Every structure is written in structure tokens, then in C-alpha cells.
Amino acid sequence: GEEEAMAFFWKGDGLWTKTGKAPPGIVNISATLSNEKDENNWTSFILPSRDPYPLPDLVEFGQFLTAALTFTQCLANIKVYVNQTLQLDINKTILESHTIATPKASSWWKNDGALISSSTGMFVLGKGSDLTQTSVQMTVSLRKDVSNPDSAMETSTVRARYASAMVKTKIPPDVEKRIIRVTKKNPPKELTVQIFLDAANHDEDDESLTIKRNTKFNLNKLANIGTKQSMASKITDSFSPTPGSGRIFIGFRTSQTTGFGVHLAAPLMPTVEREAIDFVDPALREFNSSLLEVAGVLMRL
């Protein structure tokens, strides 16, 4: 509710909850910390640490948070405060979105149109508004000196393209029965596949990135790129995968790579640890292989 709160606390070895009225400034803690007026009644999660721990490196922490925003639909902004001072601000904005047109057959008797299904027929891409390409902008602002709350914030921006498709499933009854036996739940009737295609940095004032775009630079400048690059740009640079380092996202990023420079997000059947795709169980292997195949079809479109 607008002024309600739920507290979690330990009582012996049991975790208990207690509801009550939220203290002032807790209902919208982000606006409270930044001294802003915000009428939105955001839900705040207060998770105090039981033991103090050192402040993590904000560049590495920012890279982790940026990866967490890669395929989010609703979560678009993360702010990190240290001692009530804003230290890191990551914001994802949708710039534009349009449908992807699928090539049609040249005539009704020819089968030379775009392939929109897996070879097994288990997955079929949607059409029209079910196929979209979206451009987003990721902006990262990082305070130069954590110990000095009055120090300036440096900003870096990167733009990226995504392809997204609604996929309808036609799973054979015998495969579906085996999947239910393993996962204890029904496979989805339709699902969403998303692909992170590429990204381009838009920091015109960042000297290190200007050097990257200039093909005529000497080795001395190349050696100095690492020292001139801002901390904020190190975070945005990690947003786009290097060739061969793209990741599979099953909800969140796994340790399994795609083998090339794109990320893939799809409801693949993972291992128990959720760190890789399950190719051991025969039914899950058939499901996952067909879903990866239709993801490749989307990429070619």
C-alpha cells in the first residue's frame, strides 16, 4: 500500500515478517535520498546488512548492474547511493521501435520466402508487430571521487539495437510429456526471444573513444587509451560484448557464451544451477536446440 511496510527479521532460526505503517521517507526512498519531489508511490526494499562490508569497486559494480539492465522491460533506472550521496546513476531509454518486415515468396508456387520456423516445427516466429527492432540508449553517470560528495559526475552514453520476436510453440505431445516430467511444469504456449545485436558509443567528448574511431593513430596513442578512458566509459564499453563473448540470458546472464558478439535472451531450459543450457536430458535438448535454431532465424531477418 501507499504507507504500508513489511519487515523481515530473524527470530531464532526462523525468518518472520511483520507489517505496519512505513516511516516517513521510506515509501519513496529514492526521492528522499536525492531531495526530489516524486508523487509516485514506488515500492522500496530495505535490506540492511547484518555485518559491515567494504564498498565494492563502482566500475565493476556498474558493469554488473548494466548487464542486469540488458534485457529488462520495466526496470530502466538504477541509482547507487553511498552515505546518502549519489555515486552511480544508470539509465536505459528507448529511442525508437519498428516492426521487422519478413521477405515474402516471389510467387505462390515458390518456397523462396523467409524461413520463420525451426526445422522441427516446434517454434514459429510471429509476424507483423510480433517482430520488432528497438534502439535504446544507456547512460551512465559516475562520481569521480567517492570520498568527495562535491566532486563532479562523469557521463558516458552508448546506444544499442535489439531484435525481439514473439514465438508460438507447437511441441509434440510426447516431448511435452517428458518436459513436464523433468521440469514439473507445462512448457509455454508462446514465448519471447530477444537478441542484443550491436552497440555504438556516443561520447563525442571522450578522448579515448575519439581515438578508437580514428583509423590513423600511432602506437603511442594506442598505449595511452587505457589511461585516458573515463571510468564511466569503462562501464558502457562492457555493455556491448566483444567478438565471441556474447552471453546466454535465461532471466539473468549465465556463464554460457553464444560464440559471437551478440547476447541472446530466451526461456531456454537451464541446468539446476541456471548457469548453462541443459543439453543432457533428451527432451530438454530437443526443446533447447529448436529454440536456438529459431533464434538464429530471427538474427538473419
Side-chain angles (χ1 to χ4, degrees), residues 61-222:
F61 191 41
Q63 292 172 345
F64 168 79
L65 295 176
T66 302
L69 287 177
T70 303
F71 290 106
T72 55
Q73 298 295 321
C74 300
L75 182 60
N77 180 238
I78 298 177
K79 294 182 179 181
V80 178
Y81 291 85
V82 179
N83 295 330
Q84 299 185 347
T85 299
L86 179 64
Q87 300 290 349
L88 176 63
D89 188 359
I90 304 174
N91 189 61
K92 184 172 74 171
T93 307
I94 297 177
L95 300 178
E96 66 90 19
S97 181
H98 62 271
T99 58
I100 301 174
T102 55
K104 298 181 180 179
S106 57
S107 59
W108 64 270
W109 69 83
K110 289 186 178 180
N111 191 24
D112 57 354
L115 181 68
I116 60 171
S117 65
S118 61
S119 58
T120 60
M122 194 179 296
F123 299 101
V124 180
L125 291 177
K127 297 180 181 179
S129 59
D130 289 339
L131 293 173
T132 59
Q133 179 175 301
T134 305
S135 297
V136 303
Q137 177 172 290
M138 186 77 75
T139 303
V140 175
S141 298
L142 179 65
R143 195 170 300 280
K144 292 183 178 181
D145 187 359
V146 178
S147 60
N148 182 9
D150 296 325
S151 62
M153 300 280 285
E154 57 184 22
T155 302
S156 180
T157 302
V158 63
R159 292 181 181 179
R161 292 188 307 139
Y162 294 82
S164 177
M166 185 67 69
V167 180
K168 299 185 182 299
T169 64
K170 296 180 180 179
I171 302 174
D174 60 322
V175 177
E176 183 177 10
K177 184 177 180 180
R178 286 183 288 154
I179 290 176
I180 294 174
R181 186 173 65 246
V182 174
T183 64
K184 309 302 180 185
K185 60 183 179 181
N186 295 321
K189 298 300 181 183
E190 61 179 20
L191 48 86
T192 301
V193 174
Q194 293 178 285
I195 299 174
F196 180 102
L197 296 172
D198 55 28
N201 210 297
H202 281 251
D203 296 338
E204 298 297 334
D205 297 332
D206 194 323
E207 184 178 355
S208 66
L209 299 171
T210 303
I211 293 174
K212 289 181 183 179
R213 285 192 291 266
N214 186 359
T215 57
K216 296 181 180 179
F217 57 87
N218 56 42
L219 294 178
N220 290 331
K221 286 186 177 181
L222 179 63

Side-chain angles (χ1 to χ4, degrees), residues 8 10 26 33 57 65 90 107 118 133 147 165 175 204 209 227 255 257 261-262 279:
F8 293 83
W10 290 98
I26 294 298
L33 290 172
D57 181 81
L65 295 176
I90 304 174
S107 59
S118 61
Q133 179 175 301
S147 60
V175 177
E204 298 297 334
L209 299 171
T227 58
S255 59
T257 62
V262 301
F279 287 117

Side-chain angles (χ1 to χ4, degrees), residues 243-254:
S245 66
R247 295 289 191 91
I248 298 290
F249 284 67
I250 307 177
F252 194 65
R253 182 176 62 181
T254 69

Side-chain angles (χ1 to χ4, degrees), residues 258-279:
T258 60
F260 42 100
V262 301
H263 293 315
L264 169 64
L268 296 151
M269 300 293 183
T271 58
V272 176
E273 300 82 8
R274 299 189 67 85
E275 282 295 321
I277 305 172
D278 193 332
F279 287 117

